[in-house]
């Protein structure tokens, strides 16, 4: 037996490329699925609630998302041709896309029409990222922290009103804002905070999922949640391309989705390099290009298979560091498990039964976290420079304009209105344009920190 070992595991085989025994692959892979699952199922739930989709449509979205996540993960970690970074990286729906997708949906005639516009924009954005992958790594300087931080902060701020609406019972609820709804939302949020307070890394990684499960069980025990939809759902279901119809293509949604993908480009570059450091493997420019191609292919498949845009999942990058398991085949196994889970509508029906107030309580934490990540990113920019502070201030102001005035842009052409009605798109475009004007095209470079007088009195004093 000892003589066979070197042939099975050559000395020059990097731990990333090591194929572990099947039981260990399954166990470690399932652990990745647990860390990822909450993010996978929450986004379809949020979108379905905002678009007014039926329970059956939500169940289909959850299964389509899980199935496509599995494919996307295998593409990124296993790779083929010049696609895939071939590192232990899990692909999931980018949370950055939630607000733009909701904004796209709010401008559509129906929930189904909204999905078709989202899928058209997703396919287009995925194809463009695939084609532009060799060049994107070279133009990341166009998206410095002052831009990406502003975009993420805007996303969190614009999403929070939707979370609060759900916490109050959901739009159209007869007892909207009642103490019962607020109690479920507050209890769910409190439970999530308690789980985080335990400071157990694995528990923290699935705290949102446990919060949703706990809140739903309490609601069911008190007679406020119905699982009748579970009995009506099929045991087995297969995701088919263009299930909801032929995707539609409009300039506004496409612009919004391209902004999302540019943010995910930054995320993918960062997560790929971080994973490379964790597993001890150098990540070259060619590796980054392959990772971005995988994002493009996965996102195009997302629009085709009734799912969403995909990118590297940071939670699972942390899990690789925590467990010390560096084999990318563990993540391939996780992708296979996701695909299997995506074939069971009855399991998704349980998730679809989560009441809006419970979801709202969890969403407050999640959307607030998005804004905090944006603020953390902005901390990398020198906001003492007046140019940068103006970029942030004006961009946030423009983003809140459609939120404050829902009819803003109503008299404009449809594609223009799609941009003006989306706080995410309007604010993001403002940040990009102002950064170009102030920090890229300007002839005089902004003053460095050493040029700013340390004793300059504060105007707020």
């Amino acid at each position: 037996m000892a003589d066979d070992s070197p042939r099975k595991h050559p000395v020059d085989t990097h731990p990333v490329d090591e194929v572990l025994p099947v039981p260990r692959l399954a166990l470690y892979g399932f652990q990745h699925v647990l860390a990822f699952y909450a993010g996978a199922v929450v986004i379809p739930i949020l979108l379905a609630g905002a678009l007014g989709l039926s329970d059956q449509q939500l169940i289909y979205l959850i299964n389509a998302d899980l199935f496509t996540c599995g494919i996307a993960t295998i593409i990124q970690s296993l790779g083929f041709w010049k696609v895939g970074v071939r590192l232990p990286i899990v692909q999931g729906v980018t949370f950055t896309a939630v607000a733009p997708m909701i904004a796209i949906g709010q401008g559509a005639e129906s929930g189904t029409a909204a999905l078709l516009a989202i899928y058209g924009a997703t396919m287009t954005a995925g194809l463009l990222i695939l084609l532009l992958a060799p060049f994107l790594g070279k133009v990341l300087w166009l998206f410095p922290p002052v831009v990406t931080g502003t975009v993420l902060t805007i996303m969190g701020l614009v999403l929070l009103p939707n979370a609060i609406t759900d916490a109050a019972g959901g739009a159209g609820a007869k007892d909207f804002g009642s103490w019962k709804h607020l109690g479920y939302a507050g209890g769910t949020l409190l439970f999530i905070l308690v789980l985080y307070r335990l400071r157990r890394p694995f528990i923290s990684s699935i705290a949102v999922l446990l919060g949703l499960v706990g809140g739903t069980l309490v609601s069911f025990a008190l007679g406020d949640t119905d699982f009748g939809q579970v009995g009506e759902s099929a045991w087995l279901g297969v995701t088919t391309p263009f299930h909801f119809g032929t995707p539609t293509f409009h300039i506004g949604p496409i612009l919004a989705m391209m902004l999302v993908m540019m943010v995910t480009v930054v995320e993918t570059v960062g997560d790929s390099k971080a994973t490379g450091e964790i597993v001890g493997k150098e990540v070259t420019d060619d590796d980054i290009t392959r990772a971005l191609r995988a994002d493009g292919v996965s996102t195009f498949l997302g629009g085709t298979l009734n799912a969403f845009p995909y990118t590297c999942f940071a939670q699972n990058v942390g899990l690789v560091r925590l467990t010390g398991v560096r084999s990318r085949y563990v993540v391939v196994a996780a992708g296979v498990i996701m695909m299997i889970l995506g074939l069971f509508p009855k399991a998704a029906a349980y998730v679809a039964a989560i009441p809006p107030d419970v979801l709202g309580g969890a969403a407050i934490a999640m959307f607030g976290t998005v804004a905090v990540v944006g603020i953390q990113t902005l901390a990398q920019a020198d906001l003492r420079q007046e140019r940068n502070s103006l970029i942030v201030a004006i961009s946030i102001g423009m983003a809140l304009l459609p939120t404050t005035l829902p009819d803003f842009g109503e008299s404009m052409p449809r594609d223009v209105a799609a941009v003006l009605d989306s706080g995410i798109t309007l604010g993001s475009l403002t940040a990009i344009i102002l950064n170009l004007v102030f920090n890229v095209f300007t002839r005089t470079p902004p003053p460095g920190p050493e040029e700013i007088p340390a004793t300059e009195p504060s105007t707020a004093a």
Side-chain angles (χ1 to χ4, degrees):
M1 294 294 290
D3 293 336
D4 294 335
S5 180
R7 291 196 296 269
K8 292 180 180 179
H9 303 289
V11 175
D12 59 350
T13 298
H14 194 283
V16 166
D17 300 315
E18 182 182 2
V19 180
L20 303 179
V22 172
R24 291 173 62 191
L25 284 176
L27 179 62
Y28 293 145
F30 188 66
Q31 184 173 233
H32 271 285
V33 173
L34 285 179
F36 150 92
Y37 192 81
V41 300
V42 167
I43 291 178
I45 295 172
L46 293 172
L47 186 62
L51 302 185
L53 302 179
S54 67
D55 286 345
Q56 283 299 326
Q57 288 175 314
L58 172 56
I59 291 169
Y60 194 93
L61 284 183
I62 292 172
N63 282 296
D65 182 25
L66 285 171
F67 187 81
T68 313
C69 279
I71 297 175
T73 296
I74 293 172
I75 289 173
Q76 187 69 275
S77 56
L78 185 61
F80 67 92
W81 187 56
K82 296 181 180 180
V83 179
V85 72
R86 294 169 174 82
L87 289 173
I89 290 178
V90 171
Q91 294 283 98
V93 180
T94 172
F95 209 79
T96 308
V98 175
M101 290 192 297
I102 290 175
I104 292 169
Q106 291 172 343
E109 308 86 47
S110 65
T112 301
L115 287 176
L116 296 179
I118 290 169
Y119 294 150
T122 300
M123 292 174 63
T124 305
L127 184 59
L128 288 174
I129 292 298
L130 174 62
L131 296 175
L132 296 175
F135 310 100
L136 288 175
K138 301 175 182 178
V139 297
L140 289 180
W141 53 273
L142 288 174
F143 298 89
V146 70
V147 172
T148 55
T150 300
V151 171
L152 290 170
T153 302
I154 287 171
M155 288 177 177
L157 294 177
V158 172
L159 278 170
L160 276 171
N162 292 286
I164 295 170
T165 298
D166 281 341
K174 295 180 180 179
D175 52 351
F176 183 82
S178 68
W179 284 108
K180 179 181 72 174
H181 292 309
L182 296 178
Y184 284 133
T188 301
L189 180 57
L190 179 61
F191 184 46
I192 292 172
L193 292 175
V194 169
L195 292 176
Y196 273 107
R197 184 65 180 82
L198 294 176
R199 297 180 179 177
R200 302 287 178 84
F202 180 69
I203 295 296
S204 295
S205 70
I206 59 172
V208 172
L209 177 62
L210 294 178
L212 291 172
V213 171
T216 302
L217 290 177
V218 171
S219 179
F220 175 72
L222 297 178
D224 293 319
T225 294
D226 181 19
F227 286 109
Q229 190 69 39
V230 176
E232 301 174 9
S233 301
W235 281 101
L236 187 65
V238 179
T239 297
T240 56
F242 309 125
H243 172 79
F244 295 98
T246 304
T248 56
F249 301 87
H250 306 287
I251 187 64
I254 290 173
L255 279 175
M257 204 57 70
M258 278 306 300
L259 287 170
V260 168
M261 293 308 295
M262 291 312 301
V263 174
T264 64
V265 164
V266 178
E267 293 177 353
T268 296
V269 172
D271 288 340
S272 297
K273 290 185 176 180
T275 304
E277 291 179 5
I278 291 170
V279 301
K281 189 170 186 178
E282 180 184 3
V283 175
T284 65
D285 290 345
D286 287 341
D287 292 325
I288 294 297
T289 298
R290 289 198 298 268
L292 294 177
R293 285 197 185 107
D295 277 4
V297 171
S298 300
T299 297
F300 182 83
L301 283 176
T304 304
L305 296 177
N306 321 289
F308 313 102
Y310 290 94
T311 189
C312 302
F313 238 48
Q315 295 96 314
N316 293 83
V317 174
L319 187 58
V320 173
R321 180 187 293 276
L322 178 67
T323 62
V325 179
R326 295 184 280 178
S327 172
R328 61 191 171 105
Y329 292 100
V330 166
V331 172
V332 173
V336 173
I337 294 172
M338 290 179 217
M339 292 179 67
I340 294 172
L341 290 175
L343 298 176
F344 297 101
K346 197 172 285 291
Y350 281 102
V351 179
I354 297 174
D357 41 23
V358 171
L359 180 63
I364 288 174
M366 290 186 292
F367 295 164
T369 300
V370 174
V372 171
V373 171
I375 294 171
Q376 290 174 334
T377 304
L378 283 173
Q380 301 173 30
D382 188 357
L383 296 184
R384 291 177 297 172
Q385 295 179 4
E386 187 176 355
R387 303 176 185 212
N388 287 339
S389 61
L390 280 174
I391 291 171
V392 177
I394 295 175
S395 300
I396 291 177
M398 295 297 289
L400 294 179
L401 197 58
T403 304
T404 308
L405 301 173
D407 297 331
F408 181 71
E410 191 177 58
S411 60
M412 300 288 183
R414 178 176 177 179
D415 288 337
V416 175
V419 176
L420 297 180
D421 286 343
S422 168
I424 302 293
T425 306
L426 188 57
S428 299
L429 284 174
T430 302
I432 292 171
I433 293 172
L434 290 180
N435 179 65
L436 289 174
V437 171
F438 287 144
N439 292 330
V440 177
F441 298 147
T442 182
R443 293 183 180 180
T444 305
E450 69 279 358
E451 299 177 48
I452 300 175
T455 58
E456 186 177 67
S458 171
T459 56

